[in-house]
């Protein structure tokens, strides 16, 4: 019997995932995932591996906001619409939203993906281009192609900042300021992460979902600290589906030789649908 209390289904189920157990590592929209899988009959283990720092409590973000207001950028790189909106939300809470918008609206705006473009257009602005792939490296590629030498560039990063990409811009001659709304920190309940590891290694988990790369890294770090990383990776390669929302999230999985299940559209709803289909297919069961 598992010592990890699952989320109890609250709605009538379809039954296609009856007998399946799914671990959820997200700290954001975790309940939405849980409800969807439970409606299909699955048992869900909630184990957020990271915690999002509330934007209104983020002193570091406020400091960066003041710097950007004082020194507006010539180029603005947007990695996520969620991050851009979160940054504006934090500025609004401090009475600085109008000043931040005024500082940003004159910049050449480049976006990483469709949601970033949507957030930009919702402000009544137009971007000057979108990256060829939904990766921060591709967004930086685009900025370098257009030229950044001698320019002040602001990059809105998300979760766990990709400092290697910032370094590429600096080496190309840009002055770079990074704004990081929704920073990741250690989870509030690390014991849940350990329990998820225990259940997975005991063969009682069929799949684990990931909606952000830092969530993958944090799970691997916890496994490494417990001395079970190799065993966890082997489980993912043999009997446990790693389900990733998109290519950025997949990178740390692929670095360990794990090929994750991922939807063509990088959206939570598509991930849920893809994993439900995969787990309900004949022959998907524990070792």
């Amino acid at each position: 019997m598992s010592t990890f209390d699952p989320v109890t289904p609250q709605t009538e189920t379809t039954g296609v995932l009856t007998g399946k157990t799914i671990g959820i590592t997200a700290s954001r929209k975790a309940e939405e995932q849980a409800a969807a899988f439970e409606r299909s009959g699955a048992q869900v283990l909630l184990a957020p591996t990271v915690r999002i720092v509330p934007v209104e409590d983020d002193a570091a973000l406020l400091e960066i906001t003041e710097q950007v207001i004082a020194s507006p950028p010539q180029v603005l790189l947007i990695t996520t619409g969620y991050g851009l909106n979160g940054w504006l939300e934090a500025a609004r809470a401090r009475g600085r939203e109008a000043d931040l918008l005024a500082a940003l609206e004159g910049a050449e705006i480049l976006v990483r993906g469709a949601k970033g473009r949507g957030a930009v257009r919702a402000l009544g602005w137009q971007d000057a281009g979108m990256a060829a792939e939904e990766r921060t490296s591709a967004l930086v590629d685009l900025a370098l192609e257009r030229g950044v030498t001698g320019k002040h560039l602001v990059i809105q990063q998300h979760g766990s900042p990709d400092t290697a990409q910032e370094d590429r811009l600096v080496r190309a001659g840009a002055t770079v300021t990074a704004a990081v709304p929704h920073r990741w920190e250690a989870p509030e309940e690390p014991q849940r992460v350990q329990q998820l590891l225990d259940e997975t290694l005991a063969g009682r988990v069929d799949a684990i979902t990931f909606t952000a790369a830092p969530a993958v890294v944090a799970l691997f770090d916890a496994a490494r600290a417990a001395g079970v990383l190799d065993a966890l990776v082997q489980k993912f390669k043999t009997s446990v589906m790693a389900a990733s929302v998109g290519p950025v999230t997949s990178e740390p999985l692929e670095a360990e030789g794990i090929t994750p299940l991922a939807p063509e559209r990088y959206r939570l709803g598509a991930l849920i649908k893809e994993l439900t289909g995969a787990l309900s297919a004949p022959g998907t069961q524990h070792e």
Side-chain angles (χ1 to χ4, degrees):
M1 178 68 66
S2 169
T3 59
F4 188 50
D5 293 333
V7 176
T8 302
Q10 299 296 319
T11 60
E12 184 178 353
T13 68
T14 63
V16 296
L17 293 182
T18 298
K20 303 297 184 182
T21 299
I22 300 171
I24 295 175
T25 62
S27 59
R28 177 174 171 263
K29 294 189 176 181
E31 295 292 347
E32 179 180 329
Q33 279 194 67
F37 289 127
E38 288 165 351
R39 283 194 295 272
S40 295
Q43 191 174 71
V44 171
L45 308 182
L46 289 177
T49 56
V50 291
R51 180 178 74 90
I52 299 176
V53 179
V55 289
E56 63 272 16
D57 297 337
D58 196 334
L61 180 61
L62 177 62
E63 182 179 347
I64 289 295
T65 299
E66 293 299 328
Q67 291 178 18
V68 171
I69 291 171
S71 179
Q74 294 158 290
V75 180
L76 172 63
L77 304 187
I78 300 298
T79 63
T80 63
Y82 178 63
L84 174 60
N85 290 331
W87 189 11
L88 295 174
E89 177 186 332
R92 186 181 310 124
R94 300 284 182 158
R96 298 293 269 162
E97 182 182 22
D99 296 317
L100 178 58
L101 287 169
L104 297 178
E105 66 180 353
E108 176 185 41
I109 303 172
L110 303 176
V111 299
R112 191 179 73 176
K115 285 205 169 182
R117 170 169 282 174
V120 168
R121 291 183 176 178
L123 294 171
W125 300 345
Q126 291 293 321
D127 63 85
M130 185 166 67
E133 298 179 78
E134 202 165 333
R135 298 173 185 266
T136 302
S137 58
L139 178 60
V140 170
D141 288 344
L142 177 60
L144 294 175
E145 288 169 9
R146 298 179 68 90
V148 299
T149 303
K151 296 180 180 179
H152 177 209
L153 183 148
V154 168
I155 179 170
Q156 169 265 313
Q157 297 238 37
H158 182 67
S160 181
D162 191 339
T163 55
Q165 301 308 320
E166 294 174 24
D167 290 344
R168 291 177 63 200
L169 296 165
V170 171
R171 289 196 300 271
T175 300
V176 178
T177 301
V180 191
H182 309 109
R183 286 186 298 109
W184 307 113
E185 288 189 348
E188 294 180 339
E189 299 179 276
Q191 70 275 13
R192 284 184 170 268
V193 179
Q194 183 58 52
Q195 289 167 331
L196 176 60
L197 288 172
D198 292 342
E199 294 296 292
T200 302
L201 296 178
R204 292 190 285 262
V205 174
D206 297 277
I208 298 177
T209 66
F210 301 98
T211 57
V216 182
V217 174
L219 183 65
F220 285 169
D221 285 347
R224 186 178 292 106
V228 296
L229 178 59
D230 289 346
L232 177 64
V233 169
Q234 188 60 24
K235 281 289 183 183
F236 278 128
K237 290 180 176 180
T238 56
S239 62
V240 178
M241 289 187 188
S244 162
V245 77
V248 175
T249 303
S250 297
E251 285 177 2
L253 291 163
E254 292 168 347
E256 293 289 344
I258 299 164
T259 301
L261 180 76
E264 290 186 8
R265 295 180 65 252
Y266 313 146
R267 302 291 180 263
L268 179 59
L271 171 66
I272 292 169
K273 182 178 180 180
E274 189 85 8
L275 182 57
T276 299
L279 286 180
S280 60
T284 53
Q285 58 186 12
H286 292 308
E287 289 182 311

